[in-house]
């Protein structure tokens, strides 16, 4: 078609009048829309304006559409008022992670109404509505308000004020709300006002909202479906930490913005409602359908951050007791309460509170404590003030839990969460970069509590095994992060969730323990008392803590430090990794250097110039020596030199309270080895544990030769502490070694070497297993370490171990009421299947069908992969991909089989004809994982090529591009292991 003519066109009068009328109508419609534009005040959800609904805003823990733990996805949804794609807004405070300081919240009046009813067919979601009135103080004149909101639909927004102060009685005005919109990237609700809020005045934000509750989401509000008294039931609970309160109600969702809360929950009359504070009153109401609902109100909370707000709506029963006049209740399924499963937790909770009250000289400020055990809670436990939430597996004792570490686990976790009532709840970190101030100290005081109530517990060995070993294995200068971060390091909400890691908990606890050790316990507690008292109901930063420690140091003259507490501790909290200190016992020179993975290989790439200020407690010939400090890269300590005498030896890091590893020169290691062979008990257990752990880690990372570490194992025939044996076996009998077909030359040598030394401790514990396992119920370290001892003895072919496995499995199969001892159950099940036939396998399959607990089903699923029979493993995988006769939903059976000793070959053949079914059942990413599992022993480029060719048709293009680098990494690691194993083999030949 050509361009339009320039000569114009004719319109009749009738048509002109019609067009004019249409234009007038359109103009009127636009004026009406303009008046309503942006307004959500007093409008029902159906009338809220929509500027489009783009893909869902990223949640704090996942990208849009990423699967949740249960396999469901949160539907892509935006609250009404989210800016549509293409809606441009200038840069503003909505682009910043932190709220602007214009408003300070003082008080919340919060009402929630989840539409949860019993005896319904619960879908994966249910709705809830709510109202919140937030009293705020204005600090900067503003016509715009920002607060947090995520996945909430705003139904009403008003601003009242300025509010009268004191006894002043006057009509409260309103500030017009011209627009409400959502900045989803930073999860803000933005209110554009028709007037300006004045500094120093108080206002009330009145918001009504609605959203969805998801099943087992465990973020914000969620619900669990479970079975109790033979019936299917449902409960609702909350998890607000770190940034999920904003998905439950609009709020100022930062830890420093503390406020008081009056909470009201509307719920079905058959349910109990719980919150942070005691119930204040109840009333009833009818909904539009005539159904009755109960309105439960709660007393006002102390000032607290939004992440501690908590709710639960349930049909539970409880047990209770009073401790120092305050009620403690533990809520659980009615079956569990009837069976006494909550009694152990109830009996220790009150004394833990009392111990910490006395320790800090600060009373627990709330009038009650409720602790609720959820059927499913992936966060394990949460310290909400007045309403602690636990996964029931970590709070309730089952009848068969007596000879397990369950009592200790419950004690540790309860102590941790109760410790938070002071560290975190009473005194809260100012921002998440200092989260270790609550998590690190709560983790540290777990052990103080346990030691107080169980003084016979080996405190140092337990701390090493539970806390220190794990974090030292993961921490190093190039990859890990500092415990305390700079605020500017944060750019996204998702980064906050990543801080709940090993470094925050374990490294934080280890640094607190080190601080206590170079001061003393009295000074340590005095400083903490001062800190907690000063910042009660408020917030603090790391420097505030150091300031109170310095005050205590300055008030005495016995403890002298080489620098301020801040300088010393900042050298540990503000940089990643930890040091290795090396002592030359001939010269007394100690040097420090950062610990790196693979020291020699990477040393030309390293740029870690900082040093640590290191406290060194030490022993010489079994006697504790005075504290010294290494505050530079190297220093001479003449008192640490040793003579030529066989009786002269030195160990640094007394009780392993310092957060570092210790290396020695060749003579230093030789002296320690001589002492172990001559009189191992002359070296305390904690230091035998330390020597093994440090030596194998240092040898693995090229700081010392592997032969130096192996020399330390010669004395093991005299070692009767199972936790030391555990340290040896996890370093010597690794998964890589067990599944490496090329280790055939080492295996017989290692078998002969270890069995000769292991037989004594094996006889000790096998006798206990046969005669009376109950004698171990209070031996926490034995319960933790026994499985590895048993597993290794059977792997080495010790006939007594294999026979005991047959006996225990057969006894259980014939009499299922005779439970296999829990600490060794996984090993017994595995060897029962490995040594048995299809009869034992089918028996285990039937047991699997009758179990309801996920943990037990996973244990049985793994055991069934231990079969040495190819046709059984093939049938097992066939069952998995056809979901018949059972779905095996707890885990990926193909991966489980591929990871077993025989199964990797069977799984590879199985994939030839079934890879499409496997991909459909478990997803294409599972094929990539299977490739890595099957290829875990590759050591040549030819093997990589063959593996890639085998999987080429199974993988998508983007997956094929990424797997090559990963396979190269596996190959390089295996080549390193092979060289290491060759040296170990040569050493074993000389010493067997």
């Amino acid at each position: 078609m050509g361009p339009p003519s320039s000569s114009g066109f004719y319109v009749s009068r009738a048509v002109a009048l019609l067009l004019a009328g249409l234009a007038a109508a359109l103009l009127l419609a636009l004026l009406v829309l303009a008046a309503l534009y942006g307004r959500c005040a007093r409008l029902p959800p159906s009338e809220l304006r929509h500027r489009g609904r783009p893909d869902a805003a990223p949640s704090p823990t996942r990208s849009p559409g990423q699967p949740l733990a249960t396999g469901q996805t949160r539907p892509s949804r935006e609250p009404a008022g989210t800016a549509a794609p293409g809606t441009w807004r200038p840069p503003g405070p909505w682009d910043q992670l932190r709220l602007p300081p214009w408003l300070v919240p003082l008080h919340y009046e919060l009402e929630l109404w989840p539409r949860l009813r019993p005896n319904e067919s619960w879908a994966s979601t249910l709705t809830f509505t709510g109202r919140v009135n937030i009293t705020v103080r204005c600090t900067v004149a503003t016509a715009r308000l920002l607060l947090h909101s995520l996945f909430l639909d705003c139904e009403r927004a008003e601003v009242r004020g300025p509010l009268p102060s004191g006894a002043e009685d006057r009509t409260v005005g309103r500030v017009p709300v011209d627009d409400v919109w959502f900045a989803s990237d930073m999860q803000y609700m933005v209110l554009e006002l028709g007037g300006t809020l004045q500094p120093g005045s108080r206002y009330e934000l009145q918001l009504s909202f609605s959203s969805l509750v998801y099943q087992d989401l465990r973020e914000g509000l969620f619900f669990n479906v479970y079975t109790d008294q033979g019936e299917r039931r449902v409960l609702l609970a909350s998890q607000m930490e770190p940034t999920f309160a904003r998905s439950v109600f609009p709020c100022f969702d930062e830890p420093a913005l503390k406020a008081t809360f009056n909470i009201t929950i509307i719920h079905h009359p058959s349910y109990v409602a719980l919150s942070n504070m005691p119930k204040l009153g109840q009333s009833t109401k009818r909904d539009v359908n005539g159904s009755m609902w109960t309105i439960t109100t709660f007393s006002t909370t102390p000032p607290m951050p939004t992440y501690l707000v908590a709710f639960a709506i349930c049909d539970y029963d409880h047990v209770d007791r009073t401790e120092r006049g305050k009620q403690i209740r533990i809520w659980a399924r009615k079956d569990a309460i009837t069976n006494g499963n909550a009694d152990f937790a109830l009996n220790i909770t009150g004394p833990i509170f009392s111990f910490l009250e006395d320790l800090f000289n600060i009373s627990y400020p709330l009038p009650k404590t409720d602790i609720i055990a959820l059927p499913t809670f992936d966060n394990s436990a949460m310290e909400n003030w007045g309403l602690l939430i636990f996964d029931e597996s970590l709070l309730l004792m089952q009848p068969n839990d007596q000879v397990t570490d369950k009592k200790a686990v419950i004690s540790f976790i309860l102590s941790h969460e109760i410790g938070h009532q002071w560290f975190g709840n009473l005194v809260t970190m100012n921002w998440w970069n200092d989260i270790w101030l609550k998590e690190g100290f709560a983790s540290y005081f777990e052990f103080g509590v346990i030691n107080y109530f169980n003084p016979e517990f080996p405190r140092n060995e337990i701390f090493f095994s539970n806390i220190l070993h794990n974090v030292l294995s993961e921490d190093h200068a190039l990859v890990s992060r500092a415990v305390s971060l700079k605020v500017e390091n944060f750019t996204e909400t998702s980064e906050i969730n990543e801080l709940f890691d090993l470094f925050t908990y374990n490294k934080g606890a280890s640094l607190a323990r080190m601080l206590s050790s170079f001061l003393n316990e009295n000074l340590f507690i005095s400083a903490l008392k001062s800190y907690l008292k000063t910042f009660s109901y408020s917030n603090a930063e790391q420097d505030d803590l150091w300031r109170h420690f310095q005050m205590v140091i300055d008030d005495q003259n016995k403890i002298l430090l080489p620098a301020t507490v801040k300088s010393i501790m900042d050298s540990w909290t503000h940089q990643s990794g930890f040091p290795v200190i090396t002592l030359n016992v001939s010269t007394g020179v100690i040097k420090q250097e950062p610990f790196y993975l693979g020291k020699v290989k990477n040393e030309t790439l390293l740029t870690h110039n900082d040093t640590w200020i290191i406290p060194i407690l030490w022993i010489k010939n079994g006697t504790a020596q005075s504290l010294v400090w290494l505050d530079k890269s190297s220093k001479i300590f003449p008192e640490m030199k040793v003579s030529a005498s066989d009786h002269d030896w030195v160990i640094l890091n007394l009780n392993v309270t310092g957060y570092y590893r210790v290396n020695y020169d060749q003579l230093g290691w030789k002296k320690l080895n001589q002492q172990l062979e001559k009189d191992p008990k002359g070296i305390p257990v904690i230091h035998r544990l330390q020597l093994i752990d440090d030596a194998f880690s240092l040898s693995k990372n090229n700081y010392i030769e592997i032969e130096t570490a192996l020399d330390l194992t010669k004395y093991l025939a005299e070692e009767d502490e199972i936790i030391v044996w555990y340290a040896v076996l996890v370093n010597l009998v690794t998964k890589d070694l067990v599944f490496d077909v090329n280790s055939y030359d080492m295996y017989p040598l290692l078998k002969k070497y270890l069995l000769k030394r292991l037989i004594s401790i094996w006889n000790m514990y096998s006798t206990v297993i046969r005669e009376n396992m109950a004698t171990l119920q209070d031996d926490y370290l034995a319960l933790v370490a026994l499985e590895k001892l048993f597993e290794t003895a059977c792997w080495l072919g010790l006939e007594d171990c294999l026979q005991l496995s047959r006996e225990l499995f057969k006894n259980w199969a014939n009499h299922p009421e005779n439970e296999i001892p829990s600490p060794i159950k996984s090993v017994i099940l595995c060897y029962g299947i490995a040594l048995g036939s299809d009869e034992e396998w089918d028996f285990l399959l039937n047991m699997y069908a009758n179990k309801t607990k996920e943990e037990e089903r996973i244990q049985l699923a793994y055991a069934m992969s231990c079969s040495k029979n190819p046709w059984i493993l093939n049938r097992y995988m066939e069952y998995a991909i056809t979901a018949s006769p059972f779905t095996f939903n707890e885990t990926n059976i193909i991966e489980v089989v591929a990871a077993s000793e025989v199964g990797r070959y069977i799984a590879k053949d199985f994939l030839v004809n079934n890879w499409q079914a496997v991909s459909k059942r478990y997803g294409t990413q599972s094929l990539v994982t299977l490739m890595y599992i099957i290829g875990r022993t590759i050591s040549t480029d030819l093997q990589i090529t063959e593996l890639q060719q085998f999987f080429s048709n199974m993988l998508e293009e983007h997956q094929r591009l990424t797997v090559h680098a990963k396979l190269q990494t596996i190959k390089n690691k295996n080549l390193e292991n092979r060289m290491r194993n060759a040296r170990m083999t040569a050493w074993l030949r000389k010493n067997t």
Side-chain angles (χ1 to χ4, degrees), residues 23 30 37-38 41 186 217 221 288 325 346 412 426 471 495 502 529 534 546 587 594 623 639 832 844 848 925 976:
L30 288 172
Y37 180 77
M186 291 302 170
L217 180 58
L221 285 182
V288 293
L346 179 68
F412 281 127
L426 185 65
V471 69
E495 293 173 348
L502 198 66
K529 285 180 181 178
T534 301
W546 301 154
T587 63
T623 303
E639 63 271 30
L844 219 58
Y848 172 91
Q925 182 58 37
E976 288 179 12

Side-chain angles (χ1 to χ4, degrees), residues 940-977:
T940 67
D941 289 331
L942 178 60
Q943 288 174 317
I944 291 178
T945 301
E946 289 175 347
L947 200 60
Q948 287 181 302
Q949 289 175 346
F950 178 81
F951 277 91
S952 61
N953 294 330
M954 306 180 196
L955 302 182
E956 297 174 1
E957 179 61 26
H958 72 279
Q959 293 173 320
R960 286 195 290 270
L961 294 174
T962 58
V963 296
H964 183 77
K966 172 73 173 179
L967 292 174
Q968 284 288 345
T969 300
I970 294 173
K971 181 198 78 170
N972 293 336
K973 177 190 171 188
N974 287 337
L975 287 174
E976 288 179 12
N977 287 341

Side-chain angles (χ1 to χ4, degrees), residues 299-313:
S299 299
T300 306
T301 70
M304 66 183 194
T306 49
Y307 80 81
L308 291 177
V309 173
F311 323 100
I313 300 174

Side-chain angles (χ1 to χ4, degrees), residues 691-733:
L691 290 173
I692 293 293
D693 198 65
D694 279 355
F696 276 97
S697 176
L698 293 171
S699 69
K700 183 179 179 181
N701 292 288
N702 303 317
Y703 286 83
I704 63 174
E705 306 296 335
I706 180 59
E707 293 83 357
T708 301
L710 291 171
D711 284 341
L712 295 176
T713 68
K714 292 178 181 179
Y715 86 98
L716 282 172
E718 304 301 318
E719 181 58 76
D720 58 3
E721 292 289 342
I722 193 171
I723 193 62
V724 179
W725 266 104
Y726 177 82
V728 171
L729 297 179
V730 295
N731 280 291
L732 275 183
V733 186

